Structures are given as structure tokens and as C-alpha cells.
Amino acid sequence: MGVTNTADDWKELTSDEMLVLKRCFIRYAGQPMKEEEPLQLLRGTLSGAETNLALRSLRARGWVDAVTKSWGERILYIPVHRLPVLYDMLLEQNTIHLMQADDPVAVHEARTGLEAELLHVLSCIAKQGVPLTAKGMIHKRSLQKLNELAPFPAEDLAGLRLQYAHAELYPVQTVVMMDLLLSLGLLVKETVSFRIQEAELAAWVRLSAWQMRKHIFNTLMERYGKPEASMQHFRYILCAVSRYAGAEGWLPVKSLLQWMHQVGLISQKSLNGAGSSNSVPLEGAASPACSGGLEDGMDEINGWLAALTAFGMGDWGLNESGELCFRWNISPLDMFLSNKGEESYQEQGTFYIQPDFEILVPPDVAYDVRWQLECCCERITGDRMVVYRITRESVTDAIELGMKAQAICALLDKHSRTGMPEHIRMAVEQWAGHVGRTAFAAVTLLRCSTSEDADTIARHPGLEGLLERIGERDFIIPASSAAKIRKTLAVIGLSPRRGLEGGDEPIHRYPLVAETANASLDSADHENSLKDVFSQEGRAGLVYTGRTLHFYEREHTLPDPFDYFPERSAVPSSWTKDWRSYHASTARQLIEQAIHWQAAVGLRIGGKEVKWIPESVISGEPWSVIGWYASEEAAEAPARATLKPGEWSEMRLLVPFT
């Protein structure tokens, strides 16, 4: 049997399923857990068989997934896409009272224009390349250029404490920038350089800024956030409580952490472990904003909020009491939704061409238009309003990179609010006219050993019009006709060598500006470009994330429920169907069978029926059994007890196939 239902609501789960899911969620969030760890979490509350059956059902419903390591070990985890729903569940079951935060005195506002900045970085890489040394490192000169392009300040990312190779040479802001492009699939690292992936780029530039931000946000949440459960809880609950923000949108971190501690999402120990004297706290927030035993774990929380600000997701600040506050400037809950109305929207705005050759690009200009502007213009400033300037050098470079001269004027005409000023049109046409009047052509030279062979080739009717003789023994042939010419020469006994003598460097082209590239981009199915192409697990980046689940094979089949009860046909049916009194020796067999199956036993003690979860039998006269009275869900630590056969009157084996 396989996974069949992944769209049900948590309210449809049985009590056992809900209990197992909630315990695993609170303890592990979306982090991997060994197969036996849920059994430990529910010890004394559910029997092992009940826990295993609940896990199986949760896997069938898509609330829990499983992967198998090469040696057969099974790893369980709650899928990341399920987490937002589970935090909503916790908030519904546990009232949260956030103290309204005063307007912060010190506000560190989110940076803007990240999507446009990343597009500019890609454009610069497309034009200049990023070559690698023989050891696979970025060349020093290229690294310096990338450092200047990075849209993040180093101090805003230092608190993430990311791990990556060559940390002594690569600045963190450059690593995050390149890692983000790699993890989105827009770049790929090859042997000698980084290369832009044109298919992914074509899909990317057709997205709206909202869609781009959504993919960046989801990458930020799981790739740069610490994988520990406590920090994953903080990242997601900060999103979940955005609906509880006050009129000004500020969320007080202190009361949020107190609520998390109250419901068990974060503990004093985990917070203490999360801190480090090496992390860089937010300016002015070195004195933590938490109390109640949570004072020592703010470093990573500070680092995360600073990173959100660097990525343009929100603002942080300190109120008059010196307490840390955060305010979203996006709707984080919408970022988790796979289908949202904004996804069908792409900007349709126009830009403004100034008389001084500057081009003002507002935020509502589509990114495929911006990509072409990046090719033929020089960028002056970048923010919400991006400013370009068209110059002789930029036009020359664009033509060298494969953009047609007429395409430049067509672009400026089509997307300008007021059209292209005549004096700018004349200048562009003049500049373009000076480029390409002469050119170095890449052709193939056919060289004969003797002039007699050359004469034979020149007279052959099958080669007429395909060759241009330029000397006694040499011909120029077009590359498109090389295969046909080769076959004809073979027929007349003049077959050329397979390899070419010498070689040419490939011509460097700017992606998505040639006519064929634009045609494919215009005809592409827009819906296909919105699939999870930018969110695939396992892409090789520069940052060590600690996430390994994608390396293992996912399990799509489920165990048979009866596999948890081997040799059940040999067990008397009366043990499972009827309440009975048994001889001490038979009662011991029943108890031992329950232990073998990790099942519970029903006992009648003092006229009441109780659920007993046995753990081990102690031999003796009389024998005894150690186990637990099944506790309620709210019980913090179930107490073990020891029973002897005379302490109950009747018993029954509790299994689901009764």
C-alpha cells in the first residue's frame, strides 16, 4: 500500500494519530527522527503498537514521510509544507496573548529591491563570467567584482553563522548571494566556471516580483536557518503569529518566546544551547529581551531577524524598554501557499526615458524587460526605482553579446511610457551603425594535399556553390554544409580527417536576447514556469546546510498493519476478545505476548478497567511485571509501576484486530 491522501485536515485525525503527530512535531519540528524515537516520545501514553499504527496512518495521509538509508535504516520526518498548518493548530489550541509592542525607538528597516539586485548580478555574470581556478575556487579578480555586487551587508548575515568552504577567503555576503542563485537553479557550477542555466533563467524572468520573493523566502527559511528544531519552531511561529500583530505590525519577541516555552516548542536548555559568544547580536540588542529563564539564547534569534531584514522581509527594532520587536513587510503566510492569486500576475508597467539618456524603471516593470535593459544599458543606481543609462559603450557591448541593433530601439519604443525621444533614437542607430561593419567570421578551411586534388573538388558538380576557393589548395566552406561536403568528398575518394586542425574559442553570448531565445521565451507555457523548478532539494550550493534527507531514497510503500503482530494466528482468540481471569502462568504468557507485540493489556482492578502498557516481566514467586498505567496526553512524565498477578481480577490483550 502506498501514500494515497495528502490533503486532509488535522481535525480528521484520530486521537492516537493526533497525539503521535503533535508529540513528534513539538519535539522535532520538520527535522529527521529515527524510527524508534516516536516510540520513546509516547512511552507510557501509547503502546508501541498503537504508536506504530498511528505513524503508518500519518504516512498514508501525508503528514509524515519516510526515507531509507542504504543500509536499511528508516528515517521519519514531518514534511516542511505541513508545518504552517501545525503551527495554526497550536495557536488554535493554545491561546496566545502578545503584549502590544510600542513603536520601536531604533528601527532597522528592510532592504528593498532584492529581486532587481539578483537580476543585476545574473546579468553581470552573463557578461563577464565567473571563472574558477584549477582547485575550483573563484578567481581573485572575479571574487572582488562579486563582493561589490552582493546586495547584503556582511554584518546582517554574520549572525547566521553559516559554514562553507574557503571561509577565510570568501565573504559571507558573496557566498549567500552565489548560494542563493545556485539553490534556485539559476546558476550551476562546472569545472572551469559558473554557468547560467538559460531554461531556468527564462522561467525566472517571467515571474512577478511577488513570485520571486516567495521562492527566495522559502529558500531563506530552510537553507539559511539553523536545522535545530527550536530554531525551526521560532522561524515558523514568527510567520504564524503575523496575524496577531498590532496596528503598526510590530511583534514583541519576548512574549512570543514565553508562549513558545509555555507550549513546549522551546526550552531553556535549547535556547541556552542556541546562543554563542561568537555570533553578532543586533546593534543595541546585546541585552536579551527575554526573561523567565530564557535569557541566554538570543544570539541566533538576533541573527535570524537581521537576516530577514537583509533579505527585505521585515524590520526589527527596540522599543523604549529595550525589548526586541519585529515587523513583517510581506505576508509570510501567503508565501507558504502553493496556489495564490498573485501567481498569475506579472508586472506590466513601463519605464521613462529621460532626455539625458537615463532610463527610470519603476517597480512595476516586468523582469524579462529588465533583463534586456541590463544587456544594452549601464545601470546607475538600484533601489525600488532602478536607473539605467544608455551609452555608446553599452550599445556596443550589447551588440557584441548578440543583441540586434534594431532590437534595442524596439525594446525602448515598446516599453517606454512616452516613446523613444528622436535624438536618442538617432544616437543609438549611429552607435550601432559603427559596430559590426567588419567582423571576424568563424569559418572552416578545407585544405588539400595537392593542387590536383583541389582542382578535382572545384570541378565536382555536387559541390558547386558550397565552396569558395581562396588559393591553390584551399577552400572556405560554411559550417552548415560541412556534413554534406564530407559525404561528397568520401564518395570521390578524398575523405577528410575527422578532427579539425586548430580550434576556435566559442563566441560569448548574452542569454535570452537572440531571436530564437526570445521566441522560445514568448511561447513558453507560463504555468509550467511556476512549478517547483526553483525549490528543488539537493542542488549543490556553497553553504553546508546540514540537511541530508534528499540524499536518501523516499519510501512510497507502507507496511502491512499485521506485520506489527507476527504469528497472530498462534495466539488464542479469547485473549483478544474476552475479559477473563487466568491462571498465573497463562496470565504471564499473555503479558509476554503483549510485550512481544509492544501492545497494551486491559486490566480490571478494583472494579475499574485500566489500560496497562507492560515493559518487562520479572521472574520470581510470584512473578511481576513492570510497566505503565496509560497516562493522559497532558501527563508530563508517566510513572512506572510494578504489578503482581493477584492485583487484577480479569485481563484482555488490547490489539486493533479484536
mmCIF file of all heavy atoms in Angstrom, residues 122-142:
data_model
loop_
_atom_site.group_PDB
_atom_site.id
_atom_site.type_symbol
_atom_site.label_atom_id
_atom_site.label_comp_id
_atom_site.label_asym_id
_atom_site.label_seq_id
_atom_site.Cartn_x
_atom_site.Cartn_y
_atom_site.Cartn_z
ATOM 1 N N LEU A 122 23.019 38.424 -11.966
ATOM 2 C CA LEU A 122 22.982 37.443 -13.054
ATOM 3 C C LEU A 122 23.431 38.063 -14.370
ATOM 4 O O LEU A 122 24.147 37.430 -15.159
ATOM 5 C CB LEU A 122 21.565 36.887 -13.194
ATOM 6 C CG LEU A 122 21.126 35.854 -12.155
ATOM 7 C CD1 LEU A 122 19.625 35.621 -12.246
ATOM 8 C CD2 LEU A 122 21.878 34.545 -12.341
ATOM 9 N N SER A 123 23.024 39.308 -14.604
ATOM 10 C CA SER A 123 23.423 39.987 -15.835
ATOM 11 C C SER A 123 24.941 40.179 -15.886
ATOM 12 O O SER A 123 25.567 39.947 -16.925
ATOM 13 C CB SER A 123 22.709 41.333 -15.938
ATOM 14 O OG SER A 123 23.145 42.044 -17.074
ATOM 15 N N CYS A 124 25.517 40.583 -14.776
ATOM 16 C CA CYS A 124 26.970 40.770 -14.739
ATOM 17 C C CYS A 124 27.701 39.445 -14.943
ATOM 18 O O CYS A 124 28.738 39.390 -15.616
ATOM 19 C CB CYS A 124 27.381 41.408 -13.413
ATOM 20 S SG CYS A 124 26.830 43.115 -13.227
ATOM 21 N N ILE A 125 27.158 38.369 -14.367
ATOM 22 C CA ILE A 125 27.770 37.052 -14.571
ATOM 23 C C ILE A 125 27.645 36.646 -16.035
ATOM 24 O O ILE A 125 28.574 36.071 -16.616
ATOM 25 C CB ILE A 125 27.100 36.012 -13.648
ATOM 26 C CG1 ILE A 125 27.448 36.308 -12.187
ATOM 27 C CG2 ILE A 125 27.522 34.605 -14.015
ATOM 28 C CD1 ILE A 125 26.740 35.432 -11.180
ATOM 29 N N ALA A 126 26.491 36.944 -16.648
ATOM 30 C CA ALA A 126 26.300 36.607 -18.059
ATOM 31 C C ALA A 126 27.297 37.351 -18.945
ATOM 32 O O ALA A 126 27.772 36.811 -19.946
ATOM 33 C CB ALA A 126 24.872 36.950 -18.478
ATOM 34 N N LYS A 127 27.615 38.586 -18.575
ATOM 35 C CA LYS A 127 28.526 39.389 -19.395
ATOM 36 C C LYS A 127 29.988 39.053 -19.142
ATOM 37 O O LYS A 127 30.792 38.950 -20.070
ATOM 38 C CB LYS A 127 28.303 40.878 -19.103
ATOM 39 C CG LYS A 127 26.951 41.408 -19.531
ATOM 40 C CD LYS A 127 26.779 42.853 -19.078
ATOM 41 C CE LYS A 127 25.430 43.416 -19.466
ATOM 42 N NZ LYS A 127 25.226 44.799 -18.973
ATOM 43 N N GLN A 128 30.353 38.875 -17.866
ATOM 44 C CA GLN A 128 31.765 38.774 -17.511
ATOM 45 C C GLN A 128 32.207 37.368 -17.139
ATOM 46 O O GLN A 128 33.399 37.061 -17.171
ATOM 47 C CB GLN A 128 32.052 39.720 -16.339
ATOM 48 C CG GLN A 128 31.691 41.161 -16.636
ATOM 49 C CD GLN A 128 31.657 42.025 -15.387
ATOM 50 O OE1 GLN A 128 32.057 41.595 -14.311
ATOM 51 N NE2 GLN A 128 31.163 43.255 -15.523
ATOM 52 N N GLY A 129 31.245 36.506 -16.766
ATOM 53 C CA GLY A 129 31.592 35.155 -16.350
ATOM 54 C C GLY A 129 32.187 35.124 -14.954
ATOM 55 O O GLY A 129 32.571 36.156 -14.393
ATOM 56 N N VAL A 130 32.249 33.925 -14.374
ATOM 57 C CA VAL A 130 32.895 33.712 -13.082
ATOM 58 C C VAL A 130 33.812 32.506 -13.232
ATOM 59 O O VAL A 130 33.426 31.361 -12.948
ATOM 60 C CB VAL A 130 31.869 33.468 -11.952
ATOM 61 C CG1 VAL A 130 32.584 33.313 -10.616
ATOM 62 C CG2 VAL A 130 30.859 34.607 -11.873
ATOM 63 N N PRO A 131 35.045 32.718 -13.689
ATOM 64 C CA PRO A 131 35.963 31.591 -13.898
ATOM 65 C C PRO A 131 36.471 31.022 -12.576
ATOM 66 O O PRO A 131 36.511 31.711 -11.556
ATOM 67 C CB PRO A 131 37.098 32.217 -14.703
ATOM 68 C CG PRO A 131 37.069 33.675 -14.332
ATOM 69 C CD PRO A 131 35.624 34.008 -14.096
ATOM 70 N N LEU A 132 36.856 29.747 -12.620
ATOM 71 C CA LEU A 132 37.363 29.043 -11.454
ATOM 72 C C LEU A 132 38.811 28.624 -11.686
ATOM 73 O O LEU A 132 39.235 28.377 -12.820
ATOM 74 C CB LEU A 132 36.510 27.798 -11.167
ATOM 75 C CG LEU A 132 35.023 28.034 -10.900
ATOM 76 C CD1 LEU A 132 34.285 26.705 -10.797
ATOM 77 C CD2 LEU A 132 34.827 28.848 -9.628
ATOM 78 N N THR A 133 39.545 28.534 -10.611
ATOM 79 C CA THR A 133 40.921 28.052 -10.677
ATOM 80 C C THR A 133 40.930 26.532 -10.815
ATOM 81 O O THR A 133 39.885 25.877 -10.757
ATOM 82 C CB THR A 133 41.696 28.445 -9.414
ATOM 83 O OG1 THR A 133 41.138 27.732 -8.287
ATOM 84 C CG2 THR A 133 41.595 29.937 -9.155
ATOM 85 N N ALA A 134 42.113 25.970 -10.983
ATOM 86 C CA ALA A 134 42.239 24.516 -11.085
ATOM 87 C C ALA A 134 41.752 23.820 -9.822
ATOM 88 O O ALA A 134 41.348 22.654 -9.856
ATOM 89 C CB ALA A 134 43.694 24.144 -11.367
ATOM 90 N N LYS A 135 41.755 24.533 -8.678
ATOM 91 C CA LYS A 135 41.287 23.960 -7.418
ATOM 92 C C LYS A 135 39.799 24.212 -7.183
ATOM 93 O O LYS A 135 39.275 23.899 -6.114
ATOM 94 C CB LYS A 135 42.091 24.544 -6.255
ATOM 95 C CG LYS A 135 43.568 24.153 -6.281
ATOM 96 C CD LYS A 135 44.304 24.719 -5.064
ATOM 97 C CE LYS A 135 45.764 24.297 -5.060
ATOM 98 N NZ LYS A 135 46.495 24.846 -3.876
ATOM 99 N N GLY A 136 39.127 24.783 -8.186
ATOM 100 C CA GLY A 136 37.699 25.005 -8.062
ATOM 101 C C GLY A 136 37.314 26.250 -7.304
ATOM 102 O O GLY A 136 36.147 26.409 -6.930
ATOM 103 N N MET A 137 38.245 27.166 -7.085
ATOM 104 C CA MET A 137 37.958 28.401 -6.364
ATOM 105 C C MET A 137 37.718 29.545 -7.347
ATOM 106 O O MET A 137 38.217 29.532 -8.473
ATOM 107 C CB MET A 137 39.114 28.751 -5.424
ATOM 108 C CG MET A 137 39.349 27.725 -4.334
ATOM 109 S SD MET A 137 40.779 28.132 -3.314
ATOM 110 C CE MET A 137 40.269 29.722 -2.649
ATOM 111 N N ILE A 138 36.951 30.528 -6.927
ATOM 112 C CA ILE A 138 36.692 31.697 -7.764
ATOM 113 C C ILE A 138 37.968 32.520 -7.880
ATOM 114 O O ILE A 138 38.653 32.772 -6.886
ATOM 115 C CB ILE A 138 35.561 32.551 -7.157
ATOM 116 C CG1 ILE A 138 34.275 31.724 -7.050
ATOM 117 C CG2 ILE A 138 35.319 33.796 -7.994
ATOM 118 C CD1 ILE A 138 33.151 32.439 -6.314
ATOM 119 N N HIS A 139 38.277 32.935 -9.104
ATOM 120 C CA HIS A 139 39.459 33.773 -9.319
ATOM 121 C C HIS A 139 39.370 35.051 -8.481
ATOM 122 O O HIS A 139 38.285 35.597 -8.284
ATOM 123 C CB HIS A 139 39.597 34.143 -10.798
ATOM 124 C CG HIS A 139 40.282 33.089 -11.611
ATOM 125 N ND1 HIS A 139 41.647 32.959 -11.664
ATOM 126 C CD2 HIS A 139 39.774 32.104 -12.388
ATOM 127 C CE1 HIS A 139 41.961 31.950 -12.463
ATOM 128 N NE2 HIS A 139 40.843 31.410 -12.909
ATOM 129 N N LYS A 140 40.495 35.506 -8.019
ATOM 130 C CA LYS A 140 40.532 36.642 -7.105
ATOM 131 C C LYS A 140 39.869 37.875 -7.689
ATOM 132 O O LYS A 140 39.102 38.576 -7.012
ATOM 133 C CB LYS A 140 41.986 36.951 -6.733
ATOM 134 C CG LYS A 140 42.135 37.992 -5.644
ATOM 135 C CD LYS A 140 43.596 38.139 -5.230
ATOM 136 C CE LYS A 140 43.733 39.171 -4.101
ATOM 137 N NZ LYS A 140 45.149 39.314 -3.684
ATOM 138 N N ARG A 141 40.130 38.167 -8.963
ATOM 139 C CA ARG A 141 39.546 39.364 -9.571
ATOM 140 C C ARG A 141 38.030 39.236 -9.679
ATOM 141 O O ARG A 141 37.290 40.190 -9.403
ATOM 142 C CB ARG A 141 40.157 39.593 -10.950
ATOM 143 C CG ARG A 141 39.621 40.835 -11.660
ATOM 144 C CD ARG A 141 40.338 41.082 -12.960
ATOM 145 N NE ARG A 141 41.747 41.367 -12.749
ATOM 146 C CZ ARG A 141 42.609 41.603 -13.740
ATOM 147 N NH1 ARG A 141 42.186 41.588 -14.998
ATOM 148 N NH2 ARG A 141 43.878 41.849 -13.481
ATOM 149 N N SER A 142 37.546 38.061 -10.073
ATOM 150 C CA SER A 142 36.098 37.843 -10.154
ATOM 151 C C SER A 142 35.455 37.919 -8.781
ATOM 152 O O SER A 142 34.342 38.436 -8.629
ATOM 153 C CB SER A 142 35.803 36.486 -10.794
ATOM 154 O OG SER A 142 36.215 36.458 -12.140
#
